[in-house]
Amino acid sequence: MRRIFVKPRELVVPGTLLAQGPFKNGRGTFKEGNRVYSTVVGLVEIRNDAIRVIPLEGPYIPEVGDNVIGKIVDVRFSNWSVDIGAPYEANLRVQDASEERIDVAKTDLKRIFDIGDIIYAKIKAYNEINQIDLTTRGMPFRGGPLRGGQIVEITPYKVPRLIGKGGSMINMIKKLTGTRIIVGQNGWVWVSGRKEELEKLAIEAILKVERESHTQGLTDRVREFLLSRLNGLKEQGVIEEIPQLNEENAKEGEET
């Protein structure tokens, strides 16, 4: 018998019975017999025959295909250990770090990625023994480390709100501040600006989105906040002009 006991986006707690029947249990759930239960405090997501719970608290839980930002914490013989904000360190193997074949016996891996380097990678594999494998092949920046900038950490489940519908929120922040921003699905955000004041402003906007992510009309408030601060920077002579948003950037959108 197929039955769903909760609604999409419903807030649940550990132990909540979510569904019964031939469902696939995803992140934040466990299966007992033909019943699926929640393991975390979070929001229910139902897609076709799969049910998962997006956690509202706790560390990032990896999922294959996620794009993440990480920090190299150790360099070994043929791989790097990477902190991605998950309960366990991730692993980046030599063969997943470059499009070219690397002879580890003749190559100093620190010349590719060294301790402290910030990388943009994809979750390649994540198994039941908590082994997390990354790849930087085919990623932007030719898979190299992200240079300069700052890392901002937000709650992972608020990442869709920061990105916005069709990228509306994050593109607006980038456009108005003239910064480069990369958002990892693990809640780590890399921000790099040509001016320190603009980089700081972008970070303030990102943190504002995190604080007020549960409220309506957030896109308008973030835009007003940015324009107000930019006017101040123009009066101080820090910037000459305030970037103009086109109609698509300026439209209010409901963030996903």
Side-chain angles (χ1 to χ4, degrees):
M1 180 178 178
R2 177 189 173 97
R3 187 177 179 187
I4 298 175
F5 299 96
V6 292
K7 298 177 182 178
R9 305 298 293 176
E10 182 175 332
L11 179 64
V12 297
V13 298
T16 300
L17 175 60
L18 306 175
Q20 176 178 299
F23 291 96
K24 297 177 182 178
N25 62 300
R27 170 191 306 188
T29 70
F30 75 95
K31 199 166 188 178
E32 191 172 272
N34 68 341
R35 294 188 168 194
V36 180
Y37 297 86
S38 172
T39 61
V40 297
V41 175
L43 301 176
V44 177
E45 184 175 274
I46 304 172
R47 291 187 180 179
N48 299 321
D49 291 329
I51 297 180
R52 68 174 184 168
V53 178
I54 303 171
L56 297 186
E57 54 187 26
Y60 164 68
I61 304 301
E63 187 165 304
V64 174
D66 280 359
N67 290 338
V68 299
I69 292 173
K71 182 178 181 179
I72 303 292
V73 293
D74 195 13
V75 182
R76 298 172 180 165
F77 175 69
S78 62
N79 66 286
W80 297 263
S81 291
V82 188
D83 179 10
I84 59 171
Y88 308 93
E89 287 181 357
N91 175 63
L92 175 62
R93 296 179 295 179
V94 166
Q95 58 264 42
D96 293 319
S98 174
E99 304 290 344
E100 302 175 0
R101 183 179 177 84
I102 299 173
D103 186 344
V104 295
K106 299 179 181 179
T107 305
D108 181 2
L109 296 191
K110 290 184 178 181
R111 299 185 66 178
I112 302 173
F113 295 125
D114 201 356
I115 292 174
D117 279 351
I118 302 300
I119 65 171
Y120 186 44
K122 185 183 293 292
I123 303 290
K124 180 181 180 181
Y126 178 51
N127 60 29
E128 63 278 357
I129 61 172
N130 298 310
Q131 179 178 329
I132 308 166
D133 291 330
L134 303 176
T135 179
T136 57
R137 297 183 64 173
M139 299 298 285
F141 309 103
R142 298 181 181 178
L146 300 176
R147 301 295 186 187
Q150 299 185 55
I151 294 294
V152 185
E153 294 184 32
I154 66 172
T155 307
Y157 90 91
K158 295 183 179 180
V159 164
R161 186 66 156 152
L162 174 60
I163 294 173
K165 185 177 181 180
S168 58
M169 180 72 81
I170 199 65
N171 286 334
M172 179 183 69
I173 296 173
K174 288 194 289 188
K175 175 71 173 178
L176 287 177
T177 61
T179 53
R180 299 168 69 197
I181 302 176
I182 299 177
V183 183
Q185 287 166 277
N186 56 335
W188 291 22
V189 185
W190 178 75
V191 184
S192 177
R194 67 183 187 278
K195 291 180 180 290
E196 181 181 347
E197 294 87 351
L198 294 174
E199 186 173 285
K200 181 180 178 182
L201 180 56
I203 291 172
E204 290 178 358
I206 290 168
L207 295 177
K208 181 178 178 66
V209 172
E210 181 183 36
R211 288 193 307 270
E212 303 177 20
S213 63
H214 60 289
T215 62
Q216 295 294 320
L218 183 55
T219 303
D220 283 339
R221 289 202 308 281
V222 172
R223 179 168 58 248
E224 290 167 4
F225 164 77
L226 288 170
L227 291 174
S228 174
R229 294 292 299 274
L230 287 168
N231 274 318
L233 292 176
K234 183 179 179 181
E235 291 175 359
Q236 297 169 26
V238 175
I239 59 175
E240 295 181 359
E241 297 294 337
I242 297 175
Q244 298 297 311
L245 293 174
N246 58 36
E247 185 177 348
E248 182 177 344
N249 291 136
K251 278 195 294 186
E252 169 66 36
E254 284 301 317
E255 288 79 6
T256 57

